[in-house]
Amino acid sequence: MKNIALIIAVVALSIGACKIGKHADKKTTATTTTTMEQTTGQTKGTVSHQYRATGCATVIIVKKGDEVMTLIPKDKLPDNLDVDGMVISFDYIPLRMHNPEGCNAGFPAQLSNVKASK
């Protein structure tokens, strides 16, 4: 009789442990998704050609307080906006892809709603 009670207790604990693990995975996934979505929004930055010699065609320098972020546009900017020193506004999403060959400054990003800023 004691053996049956022990077996039932072990099975009950095992089933409970499996359910807890499934709920923890769902919370982690939701948090990761939310973090990626929060990176979009109207942002201002300066077009720069300072890394052309090393392999970066064009980068966007974004300054937020003391923090400086360098974005590498996935697609080429339109010719009228690809001017060294021009301030532009845009939305962006960071991309999980390799930097272009020889370009070690910053990280790739998909830009949208790009326009000249005043």
Side-chain angles (χ1 to χ4, degrees), residues 95-115:
L95 299 175
R96 293 182 177 182
M97 60 184 281
H98 294 288
N99 287 13
E101 184 75 29
C103 184
N104 298 321
F107 58 91
Q110 177 68 48
L111 304 182
S112 60
N113 302 321
V114 181
K115 57 187 171 192

Side-chain angles (χ1 to χ4, degrees), residues 5-84:
L6 182 62
I7 292 172
I8 291 173
V10 170
V11 170
L13 289 174
S14 297
I15 291 172
C18 290
K19 288 184 179 180
I20 290 172
K22 289 180 183 177
H23 292 296
D25 289 344
K26 288 181 183 176
K27 288 180 183 176
T28 302
T29 303
T31 302
T32 303
T33 304
T34 303
T35 303
M36 287 299 291
E37 291 173 4
Q38 291 177 352
T39 57
T40 62
Q42 205 48 237
T43 305
K44 286 189 178 183
T46 305
V47 176
S48 176
H49 297 147
Q50 70 186 30
Y51 298 109
R52 279 203 171 167
T54 61
C56 293
T58 300
V59 296
I60 311 297
I61 308 295
V62 179
K63 294 180 182 177
K64 292 185 179 180
D66 293 337
E67 184 181 337
V68 177
M69 180 172 48
T70 304
L71 303 176
I72 305 166
K74 177 182 171 275
D75 301 317
K76 187 178 180 328
L77 291 175
D79 289 339
N80 63 331
L81 298 177
D82 194 0
V83 177
D84 195 32

